[in-house]
Amino acid sequence: DIKIGSPVKMTFNIKGGKDIRKIGVYYLNETTNQWEYVGGKVDKGTNTITFEAKHFSTYGVFEYNKEFKDVTKDNWAYDVVNVLASRHIIKGVDSETFVPNAKITRAEFAALMIRALGIEEEPYKGEFNDIKEGAWYANAIEAAYKAGIMLGDGKNIRPDDPITREEMTAVIMRVYGKLAEYKEDSIGNTTFSDNNKISEWAKSVVANAVKLGIVRGYEDNTFKPKDNATRAEAAAMLYRILEKTGNI
């Protein structure tokens, strides 16, 4: 009866994969006889994937392709949605539907961020007035709050409110800071034509995100900071920081 005192780093060769962005490590759950996703970090230069084994199991590397009926190849977000779903970072509303143009709530975005970082959910400790214990997102928000990704106003975190584009940018830049060495430059204002509509606290955050190529505006040079972000926009922004930091 052997126990692992700390995770063991293991590396697999993945040479020959069609799209290494969709490759991940899985372990065989012998109770359910199902393969469960572990993750792993791909090194494109050496054609390998490395992960931390936290328990003795049968491990394997698979390339998984997950598509949704409502995100077809002619959709601008097809590639990012397809890749992130294949890596089990984003999920559909059911097995066949993603609903790319639907608004994404703050709770849904928090759950998406901790999956992207590989952070495990934490038992909810009741910090917020507007989260009931037992809500599907309570433990995800606890983990996001503890990691400093979702902050709220000290009393409320508005889990069911659709996240705005400026709020999403602020959260995604906190996640980016956990994946890479990043220090926010004091830029002040953006070059968007609706810069005056961006909240003062968000202007520098948005400007930095634009500078790094993580956030993009619309063709009419607007940012639309108070508009509600869509599920497809959230996926695209997340994909950009994972790509930029070599995590996809």
Side-chain angles (χ1 to χ4, degrees):
D1 183 12
I2 303 171
K3 293 183 179 179
I4 298 176
S6 58
V8 175
K9 193 169 282 187
M10 299 178 68
T11 300
F12 282 109
N13 190 314
I14 55 173
K15 189 176 181 180
K18 289 182 180 180
D19 188 344
I20 61 174
R21 298 176 303 167
K22 300 175 184 176
I23 289 175
V25 177
Y26 296 73
Y27 85 93
L28 182 62
N29 184 325
E30 295 183 359
T31 303
T32 62
N33 202 34
Q34 298 287 321
W35 289 97
E36 296 192 10
Y37 184 69
V38 175
K41 186 177 175 75
V42 169
D43 187 326
K44 295 177 182 177
T46 59
N47 278 313
T48 58
I49 186 168
T50 301
F51 73 104
E52 291 186 342
K54 297 180 180 178
H55 46 75
F56 287 109
S57 299
T58 299
Y59 292 93
V61 179
F62 299 100
E63 182 175 340
Y64 174 51
N65 186 55
K66 174 62 182 173
E67 297 187 346
F68 298 102
K69 286 183 176 180
D70 58 350
V71 186
T72 54
K73 290 185 178 181
D74 59 350
N75 188 300
W76 70 269
Y78 169 79
D79 188 60
V80 298
V81 170
N82 181 231
V83 171
L84 293 179
S86 298
R87 289 284 291 272
H88 303 273
I89 295 171
I90 62 173
K91 298 177 181 179
V93 296
D94 57 44
S95 63
E96 296 185 341
T97 313
F98 184 69
V99 196
N101 296 322
K103 298 172 184 177
I104 185 168
T105 67
R106 289 170 55 83
E108 289 170 338
F109 197 67
L112 177 58
M113 292 302 101
I114 66 167
R115 283 200 298 272
L117 289 171
I119 297 174
E120 294 184 3
E121 294 187 358
E122 298 267 353
Y124 179 57
K125 295 178 181 176
E127 291 92 341
F128 301 103
N129 296 332
D130 54 359
I131 296 182
K132 294 180 180 178
E133 191 173 349
W136 73 263
Y137 47 70
N139 293 352
I141 285 183
E142 180 69 31
Y145 174 67
K146 191 173 179 180
I149 297 167
M150 295 285 281
L151 306 179
D153 63 5
K155 294 182 179 179
N156 299 293
I157 204 160
R158 298 182 288 114
D160 297 314
D161 285 3
I163 195 167
T164 65
R165 284 171 52 80
E166 64 181 11
E167 288 173 341
M168 180 173 70
T169 303
V171 173
I172 208 84
M173 292 306 286
R174 292 183 199 124
V175 172
Y176 178 68
K178 292 185 176 295
L179 294 171
E181 290 187 11
Y182 162 68
K183 185 178 180 181
E184 183 179 304
D185 292 332
S186 183
I187 299 176
N189 289 308
T190 72
T191 58
F192 292 117
S193 60
D194 58 351
N195 177 72
N196 63 322
K197 294 181 180 178
I198 302 174
S199 299
E200 284 301 318
W201 63 264
K203 284 181 179 177
S204 190
V205 175
V206 172
N208 275 268
V210 171
K211 180 182 176 182
L212 290 167
I214 293 167
V215 169
R216 297 170 187 168
Y218 294 94
E219 290 183 0
D220 61 355
N221 193 37
T222 60
F223 181 65
K224 300 178 183 176
K226 303 296 190 293
D227 279 14
N228 298 134
T230 67
R231 288 166 57 81
E233 287 173 337
M237 199 179 290
L238 175 57
Y239 183 92
R240 288 182 203 123
I241 66 167
L242 292 176
E243 183 180 45
K244 196 171 187 66
T245 56
N247 285 281
I248 208 157

